[in-house]
Amino acid sequence: MRNTAKLSTAVLAAGALTFGLSACGSSGSGSATDAGGALVVAASPTPHAEILNYVKEHLAKKAGLDLEVKEFQDYIVPNTATEDGSVDANYFQNQPYLDDFNKKRGTHIVPVVTVHLEPLGLYSHKVKSADALKSGATVAVPNDAVNEARSLKLLAANGLITLKDGVGSEATPQDITKNPKNLKFKEVEAAQTVRSLDDVDAAVVNGNYAISADLKPAKDALVLESAKNSPYGNFLAVKDGNQDDPRVKKLAKLLTSPEAKKFIEDKYAGSVIASF
């Protein structure tokens, strides 16, 4: 039976704060456990925690790794908890998101190894194709800077809008130069995009939230992000200085093993793509 801790964001945030206060003034990496204890990893439930739990149940013991997985529903606490030492590592994000997070919050999180890509997709409960979206349709997009820009780039790549040249990962609806369908955008938390599908005409949803809602990105998305040359691979990350923790190195090796790749391919059937 899995020992994954399923805690609310509020409780986790409070726990992270309590740990941070108790650790004030201490030296060293600030890890939640010493190098000989369990490696505590924060992860989004799907697919990250599922992949970690596969490693925990099938590969970790043989490798001599004691692994503990904590599930987080949001995209903020995993990084703040890694920064203050409440957890040892996290697995949920991509490089553009991390760069933006570190810059805005003054954190020092660094990637260790890239494991997989979750293609971003446009979904709808009201139309069967992107072309069927009516003039003035409302599209929900994630409200964090990186995922909103990624969403707009997805729509632009599929001819629904045109963006200013060179806006990259900082694109906002204000950067739209052509909008032939006069689409309207509703900014919501990334975790809420899939729940908004009954209230909007379509929503751009991150792959992990789509899968959690029993959507099959490879089948159900109206348009799907291309995996080719994507900068959005999801990786195992730690606070800078902890990259050489032997437990982290063991987990990195297990997450990119042939066994983990086969698990990803068999379980997600193209909705999650191994990056190694």
Side-chain angles (χ1 to χ4, degrees), residues 68-80:
E68 180 180 346
V69 184
K70 289 189 175 182
E71 293 186 10
F72 291 72
Q73 293 288 346
D74 78 319
Y75 285 170
I76 296 174
V77 179
N79 273 336
T80 57

Side-chain angles (χ1 to χ4, degrees), residues 34-105:
D34 61 46
L39 182 71
V40 183
V41 184
S44 297
T46 307
H48 309 80
E50 292 175 349
I51 296 170
L52 286 168
N53 277 315
Y54 168 79
V55 169
K56 177 179 179 177
E57 294 167 6
H58 297 278
L59 306 176
K61 184 176 180 179
K62 184 177 180 180
L65 176 65
D66 185 2
L67 180 62
E68 180 180 346
V69 184
K70 289 189 175 182
E71 293 186 10
F72 291 72
Q73 293 288 346
D74 78 319
Y75 285 170
I76 296 174
V77 179
N79 273 336
T80 57
T82 303
E83 178 75 12
D84 69 26
S86 300
V87 300
D88 298 299
N90 67 58
Y91 174 33
F92 77 100
Q93 65 193 318
N94 57 55
Q95 192 68 59
Y97 180 83
L98 177 59
D99 289 344
D100 182 70
F101 193 98
N102 279 336
K103 180 180 178 180
K104 290 181 177 177
R105 293 178 179 265

Side-chain angles (χ1 to χ4, degrees), residues 4-271:
T4 302
K6 296 184 178 180
L7 304 174
S8 69
T9 298
V11 171
L12 288 165
L17 177 59
T18 300
F19 183 92
L21 290 172
S22 67
C24 284
S26 64
S27 59
S29 66
S31 294
T33 59
D34 61 46
L39 182 71
V40 183
V41 184
S44 297
T46 307
H48 309 80
E50 292 175 349
I51 296 170
L52 286 168
N53 277 315
Y54 168 79
V55 169
K56 177 179 179 177
E57 294 167 6
H58 297 278
L59 306 176
K61 184 176 180 179
K62 184 177 180 180
L65 176 65
D66 185 2
L67 180 62
E68 180 180 346
V69 184
K70 289 189 175 182
E71 293 186 10
F72 291 72
Q73 293 288 346
D74 78 319
Y75 285 170
I76 296 174
V77 179
N79 273 336
T80 57
T82 303
E83 178 75 12
D84 69 26
S86 300
V87 300
D88 298 299
N90 67 58
Y91 174 33
F92 77 100
Q93 65 193 318
N94 57 55
Q95 192 68 59
Y97 180 83
L98 177 59
D99 289 344
D100 182 70
F101 193 98
N102 279 336
K103 180 180 178 180
K104 290 181 177 177
R105 293 178 179 265
T107 47
H108 308 85
I109 312 301
V110 296
V112 175
V113 65
T114 300
V115 181
H116 76 268
L117 173 73
E118 303 161 26
L120 199 72
L122 178 69
Y123 300 86
S124 177
H125 285 171
K126 298 179 181 178
V127 298
K128 298 296 185 181
S129 70
D131 291 341
L133 286 170
K134 296 180 180 179
S135 178
T138 298
V139 178
V141 295
N143 65 0
D144 66 271
V146 171
N147 280 308
E148 180 174 58
R150 188 178 171 188
S151 300
L152 296 175
K153 289 165 70 177
L154 171 68
L155 299 180
N158 287 276
L160 292 169
I161 59 173
T162 301
L163 294 170
K164 293 178 184 175
D165 291 338
V167 291
S169 61
E170 297 182 355
T172 71
Q174 286 67 47
D175 295 309
I176 296 172
T177 58
K178 294 182 181 179
N179 187 358
K181 287 183 176 287
N182 192 31
L183 299 176
K184 296 177 173 56
F185 296 95
K186 182 177 182 179
E187 298 170 322
V188 301
E189 291 185 8
Q192 301 301 319
T193 52
V194 71
R195 299 174 188 173
S196 72
L197 281 168
D198 289 331
D199 303 317
V200 297
D201 298 291
V204 181
V205 182
N206 290 78
N208 59 314
Y209 293 127
I211 296 167
S212 294
D214 294 326
L215 293 169
K216 296 178 174 58
K219 176 183 177 182
D220 296 330
L222 305 184
V223 297
L224 193 65
E225 192 175 44
S226 172
K228 186 177 180 180
N229 299 321
S230 174
Y232 300 112
N234 285 206
F235 45 68
L236 178 69
V238 298
K239 185 175 182 179
D240 193 18
N242 293 340
Q243 300 94 313
D244 292 329
D245 184 324
R247 301 168 303 162
V248 171
K249 287 186 172 182
K250 283 182 182 179
L251 179 57
K253 185 175 181 179
L254 295 176
L255 282 171
T256 55
S257 65
E259 295 89 344
K261 185 173 185 177
K262 186 176 188 304
F263 171 77
I264 292 170
E265 291 173 344
D266 291 348
K267 183 171 181 63
Y268 301 109
S271 295

